Amino acid sequence: MNAERDLAPLAPSVVRALNDKLYEKRKVAALEIEKLVREFVAQNNTSQIKHVILILSQEFALSQHPHSRKGGLIGLAACSIALGKDSGLYLKELIEPVLTCFNDADSRLRYYACEALYNIVKVARGSVLPHFNVLFDGLSKLAADPDPNVKSGSELLDRLLKDIVTESNQFDLVGFIPLLRERIYSNNQYARQFIISWILVLESVPDINLLDYLPEILDGLFQILGDNSKEIRKMCEVALGEFLKEIKKNPSSVKFAEMANILVIHCQAADDLIQLTAMCWMREFIQLAGRVMLPYSSGILTAVLPCLSYDDRKKNIKEVANVCNQSLMKLVIPEDDEMDEAKQSITLSAEPNPEEPVSKPEAASTGSLDVSGDSSVSNASVCTVTSSERIQVTLNLDGIVQVLDCHLHDTSIGMMTRIAVLKWLYHLYIKTPRKMFRHTDSLFPILLRTLSDESDEVILKDLEVLAEIASSPAGQTEGYGPSEAAEPRPGQVELHVPIRNSQLSSSGPKGLECSPSTPTMNSYFYKFMINLLKRFSSERKLLETRGAFIIRQLCLLLNAENIFHSMADILLREEDLKFASTMVHTLNTILLTSSELFQLRNQLKDLRTPESRNLFCCLYRSWCHNPVTTVSLCFLTQNYKHAYDLIQKFGDLEVTVDFLTEVDKLVQLIECPIFTCKAQPLPSSRKCAVLGALTLPAPPTPPHASQQHCVRK
């Protein structure tokens, strides 16, 4: 081998020593190389310097022989030391062969590569920053090295590089972010620790604004937060906490919209720490960004609503989710109900000439913004011209209603979630009634089914929503009474009035003239009453267990007179006579005994006004489905002579156990405070006559002894 000729200017003795297996001999050769390069630097002989570096790289560091590679590494380090501050001119040539040795199968050689690179970086200092990405890439691999000596060497190099980055203001963050975004998804425990440590360092440097690039690494951070190592989880938790502090300090510079969907995903994580952390971030985002988060409401609700039913084991998550839910609800304002109209007016006023082409910005302004599933949208707001000239944000009401509807249909969700869903619906009907009534036909069936819920609290909230639907002025369409509603409109399959031709012919106009027409009701009120009675008819258990409770609450939420007026009108045309009798009995009991109907009872006791007489006539016609309730209505309205005449007719009726039970209840009602205290006192002579009339007409066949006792009682 002609080493003298091929490897000049390196002396043959230096070449032999670099190839020696003993470290001490290679070290002596490195000192000779350092001396040689210093002479070239003094002579400003750059060509010879490059030639020496090339020989050490190609013939030694990249050699197939392991001892030669070790000699090349120590030789390159010696060159860097000799070059001093001028090493920055040759860093690419010095670094690349060393980094190649990071992948060597020999752990000792990987360690020597760390040692060589440490010496190169220590001399070059800030000059290595243009090569930071390749250094970081190499170090991230060594951080997961199985050999402890290699890991120890890489940690020393890592600390040195962090010191250089901290001291310098020339760090290329833009160029580094793509590499960080790629490496942050590593599943290796040590690589993750390495990544988090660097994020913490970069976050602490005042001249580096990592917050601008947070959307690109936030998802990876939440992934690392679920690591099995407690130490790594703690480090990641600290890093996320630092970012959140920065967000609170500088909310105006935060890209909230770009991170919204990332948080939505991790708010649904199975890991408690990830879910709690993401939920805390979501809480801050909603409170800091305000209506910027509104277009993402459907995703946020999907994540938040199930958390409201968590038990005490996840109490912290539940509490934060509740704050998120309440804060998000407050962002919906009445102006959201007018957004479409405002946009439409702008479009009409700025409508271009058909012959003129429409510019792209103008064309885009007429479209809708759907960002509920796109995390890459940097600006979630849509600008519209309003009287206050402020930026408006589009409320994706369709998406919100879809999420709420899905949660109501899900039978596995908890009670608190169902209550929250109903609160949202009520809130939306209050704040955006015109938009919400577009969804009423689809929501109405599930709201009716929710009346069968096992929780009284859920039923109360459900009744509030139904009452708002039935009373809101926004629900007033072209006013039609029951006769006009007989023909169902398109899209209103569930909301129709089941009037049959036979009923119309039998009831005639008299049955329709008493249909409710009070201004406080809208076109959905009568539909609600019809469907509620249909629900009671098809689900008798609901009527027995919750019927009185539901009707009494509705009387508090709506006008009690309207409710009784409309139900009486509907029951008048009911074909199922047994149900009609049962329903009338239920309504009568509520009318006579509930405190909520005190004013209605007083109104019926005084039949001097046309309204009260009209109400009595409407009730009376339906109350005739049940003879005993008819008599009790006459007692309530102090029509004692007519009550006496009706009782006389009882002798012509078939006496059954149910009939005698009803009579027994009537006798008890006569003695209750409704008739004895709060009503006008009944003269004792007439009272005795009425009570006596209950037993005078004997049926054709003598009743059972127990029945006789019941009548006499």
Side-chain angles (χ1 to χ4, degrees):
M1 177 180 181
N2 296 325
E4 295 85 348
R5 186 190 63 186
D6 295 337
L7 302 182
L10 297 183
S13 58
V14 171
V15 172
R16 286 194 299 271
L18 285 176
N19 286 305
D20 200 278
K21 64 178 182 179
L22 296 177
Y23 173 76
E24 292 299 328
K25 290 187 177 181
R26 295 195 299 271
K27 186 176 180 180
V28 170
L31 292 174
E32 290 296 325
I33 292 172
E34 180 182 345
K35 182 179 177 181
L36 177 64
V37 173
R38 286 185 188 277
E39 292 176 359
F40 290 147
V41 171
Q43 299 168 7
N44 197 23
N45 193 343
T46 57
S47 61
Q48 283 291 67
I49 296 173
K50 289 182 178 180
H51 187 54
V52 170
I53 295 174
L54 182 63
I55 291 172
L56 292 172
S57 299
Q58 299 297 325
E59 302 297 331
F60 290 92
L62 301 178
S63 170
Q64 297 296 320
H65 195 279
H67 297 312
S68 297
R69 293 199 294 275
K70 295 173 185 176
L73 289 171
I74 197 170
L76 289 170
C79 285
S80 177
I81 294 171
L83 288 167
K85 62 180 182 179
D86 293 331
S87 62
L89 301 173
Y90 309 94
L91 277 177
K92 186 176 185 296
E93 294 81 2
L94 290 169
I95 290 174
E96 285 184 353
V98 178
L99 289 175
T100 302
C101 294
F102 276 10
N103 300 315
D104 199 282
D106 187 350
S107 61
R108 291 288 297 171
L109 206 142
R110 295 197 301 274
Y111 173 79
Y112 286 132
C114 279
E115 186 180 53
L117 190 57
Y118 179 88
N119 288 315
I120 294 171
V121 172
K122 187 175 182 180
V123 173
R125 301 298 292 183
S127 300
V128 301
L129 290 179
H131 308 277
F132 178 80
N133 280 8
V134 293
L135 295 174
F136 182 88
D137 183 53
L139 276 175
S140 64
K141 296 173 182 176
L142 290 186
D145 198 284
D147 188 272
N149 291 324
V150 176
K151 280 188 64 178
S152 177
S154 69
E155 288 171 1
L156 287 173
L157 177 58
D158 180 53
R159 284 199 292 270
L160 174 61
L161 201 56
K162 285 173 180 173
D163 290 340
I164 294 171
V165 170
T166 304
E167 296 168 359
S168 175
N169 57 1
Q170 302 296 323
F171 183 72
D172 182 14
L173 184 61
V174 177
F176 172 62
I177 288 298
L179 179 61
L180 179 61
R181 185 177 59 234
E182 176 191 343
R183 289 287 184 265
I184 203 169
Y185 286 104
S186 172
N187 292 322
N188 184 275
Q189 177 179 338
Y190 299 105
R192 284 179 163 182
Q193 190 172 18
F194 172 78
I195 291 291
I196 292 296
S197 68
W198 267 101
I199 289 175
L200 285 169
V201 168
L202 295 175
E203 175 63 17
S204 65
V205 179
D207 294 331
I208 297 177
N209 187 11
L210 197 56
L211 195 62
D212 286 345
Y213 303 93
L214 183 57
E216 302 190 48
I217 62 173
L218 184 62
D219 180 61
L221 284 171
F222 275 104
Q223 298 274 5
I224 295 176
L225 191 61
D227 195 90
N228 294 326
S229 168
K230 290 183 179 180
E231 182 181 356
I232 294 175
R233 287 164 73 97
K234 185 63 179 177
M235 287 178 64
C236 190
E237 199 173 355
V238 171
L240 286 167
E242 291 298 320
F243 277 120
L244 195 56
K245 288 179 183 177
E246 288 296 317
I247 289 172
K248 292 178 182 179
K249 290 179 182 177
N250 307 291
S252 60
S253 61
V254 179
K255 300 174 182 177
F256 291 104
E258 294 186 20
M259 294 183 279
N261 283 329
I262 297 174
L263 295 183
V264 166
I265 292 171
H266 292 290
C267 280
Q268 302 173 70
D271 186 281
D272 287 355
L273 179 59
I274 295 177
Q275 189 178 27
L276 176 59
T277 306
M279 199 68 73
C280 290
W281 275 61
M282 184 66 77
R283 176 190 62 195
E284 298 300 331
F285 272 38
I286 295 173
Q287 293 176 353
L288 293 172
R291 288 176 58 81
V292 171
M293 300 295 290
L294 208 54
Y296 303 91
S297 298
S298 57
I300 296 172
L301 288 175
T302 301
V304 167
L305 288 173
C307 302
L308 301 179
S309 294
Y310 283 173
D311 54 25
D312 289 341
R313 289 174 296 179
K314 296 185 177 182
K315 183 179 178 182
N316 292 339
I317 299 175
K318 178 180 179 179
E319 291 175 351
V320 179
N322 186 53
V323 175
C324 290
N325 183 56
Q326 297 295 329
S327 300
L328 186 65
M329 190 179 292
K330 292 177 182 178
L331 297 180
V332 181
I333 56 178
E335 285 78 0
D336 289 317
D337 207 26
E338 304 168 0
M339 192 71 67
D340 290 347
E341 288 76 5
K343 289 167 66 176
Q344 185 178 4
S345 64
I346 293 171
T347 304
L348 292 176
S349 62
E351 186 174 354
N353 190 317
E355 298 179 358
E356 297 177 0
V358 180
S359 63
K360 290 183 179 180
E362 291 174 341
S365 66
T366 60
S368 60
L369 178 65
D370 184 10
V371 295
S372 57
D374 185 6
S375 62
S376 64
V377 181
S378 61
N379 188 359
S381 61
V382 177
C383 298
T384 59
V385 179
T386 62
S387 57
S388 58
E389 296 184 0
R390 60 181 178 178
I391 295 177
Q392 295 286 355
V393 178
T394 299
L395 175 68
N396 182 17
L397 190 64
D398 293 350
I400 294 176
V401 172
Q402 184 179 4
V403 171
L404 298 176
D405 184 61
C406 288
H407 278 80
L408 275 185
H409 278 88
D410 186 359
T411 56
S412 64
I413 63 172
M415 180 188 72
M416 297 307 298
T417 298
R418 296 198 298 276
I419 291 174
V421 169
L422 293 167
K423 284 182 177 179
W424 259 101
L425 289 173
Y426 181 77
H427 182 73
L428 291 173
Y429 271 109
I430 294 293
K431 298 295 183 182
T432 59
R434 286 188 290 181
K435 287 185 177 180
M436 278 301 295
F437 268 95
R438 302 171 190 170
H439 303 277
T440 298
D441 288 346
S442 61
L443 289 171
F444 198 81
I446 186 60
L447 290 173
L448 278 174
R449 285 199 293 273
T450 305
L451 291 175
S452 303
D453 196 276
E454 60 185 13
S455 167
D456 287 349
E457 293 182 60
V458 173
I459 294 176
L460 283 174
K461 294 299 176 186
D462 190 37
L463 289 172
E464 287 183 11
V465 178
L466 288 167
E468 183 60 29
I469 292 173
S471 61
S472 174
Q476 188 65 53
T477 58
E478 315 81 57
Y480 49 83
S483 59
E484 293 173 333
E487 295 297 329
R489 299 186 172 192
Q492 294 183 349
V493 179
E494 291 292 335
L495 301 178
H496 65 278
V497 182
I499 299 178
R500 304 169 181 84
N501 293 331
S502 60
Q503 293 171 332
L504 286 174
S505 60
S506 61
S507 60
K510 291 183 180 180
L512 300 178
E513 64 187 10
C514 295
S515 62
S517 58
T518 310
T520 56
M521 298 184 300
N522 61 31
S523 55
Y524 283 92
F525 176 86
Y526 203 71
K527 301 171 186 177
F528 174 33
M529 294 297 106
I530 291 170
N531 284 277
L532 179 60
L533 290 175
K534 284 176 63 179
R535 187 79 180 166
F536 285 149
S537 177
S538 62
E539 194 173 340
R540 297 298 174 88
K541 186 178 179 181
L542 175 64
L543 176 60
E544 294 172 6
T545 58
R546 299 289 180 84
F549 171 73
I550 290 172
I551 295 172
R552 288 177 63 181
Q553 291 302 319
L554 284 176
C555 289
L556 290 174
L557 295 167
L558 297 169
N559 185 287
E561 178 184 351
N562 294 342
I563 292 172
F564 274 76
H565 203 306
S566 58
M567 284 190 171
D569 181 76
I570 297 165
L571 290 170
L572 183 62
R573 291 170 276 118
E574 174 60 50
E575 287 185 344
D576 187 346
L577 298 182
K578 185 175 181 181
F579 166 71
S581 177
T582 303
M583 193 67 223
V584 164
H585 171 72
T586 301
L587 291 172
N588 184 68
T589 303
I590 296 169
L591 176 63
L592 295 179
T593 60
S594 64
S595 59
E596 293 87 353
L597 297 175
F598 175 77
Q599 292 182 352
L600 187 60
R601 285 196 295 270
N602 286 341
Q603 182 179 345
L604 286 169
K605 291 171 187 176
D606 181 12
L607 298 179
R608 296 177 183 177
T609 64
E611 292 78 14
S612 60
R613 289 194 292 269
N614 183 44
L615 176 62
F616 169 75
C617 292
C618 181
L619 295 181
Y620 182 86
R621 280 192 287 268
S622 284
W623 261 230
C624 289
H625 281 299
N626 188 308
V628 175
T629 59
T630 310
V631 173
S632 65
L633 180 63
C634 292
F635 285 162
L636 175 65
T637 56
Q638 304 185 53
N639 289 296
Y640 302 123
K641 177 62 172 65
H642 186 61
Y644 181 82
D645 294 338
L646 288 174
I647 292 172
Q648 293 287 352
K649 297 291 185 180
F650 283 3
D652 299 332
L653 300 176
E654 179 184 357
V655 179
T656 63
V657 174
D658 291 339
F659 176 74
L660 291 174
T661 302
E662 292 294 326
V663 173
D664 180 56
K665 292 178 181 178
L666 174 60
V667 174
Q668 295 179 42
L669 279 173
I670 292 175
E671 300 294 340
C672 76
I674 293 293
F675 298 106
T676 59
C677 299
K678 297 184 180 180
Q680 181 178 341
L682 179 66
S684 58
S685 58
R686 295 187 64 183
K687 180 177 178 181
C688 293
V690 171
L691 289 172
L694 289 174
T695 57
L696 285 176
T701 304
H704 190 271
S706 62
Q707 294 177 340
Q708 290 180 343
H709 173 75
C710 184
V711 173
R712 287 194 296 273
K713 180 180 177 183

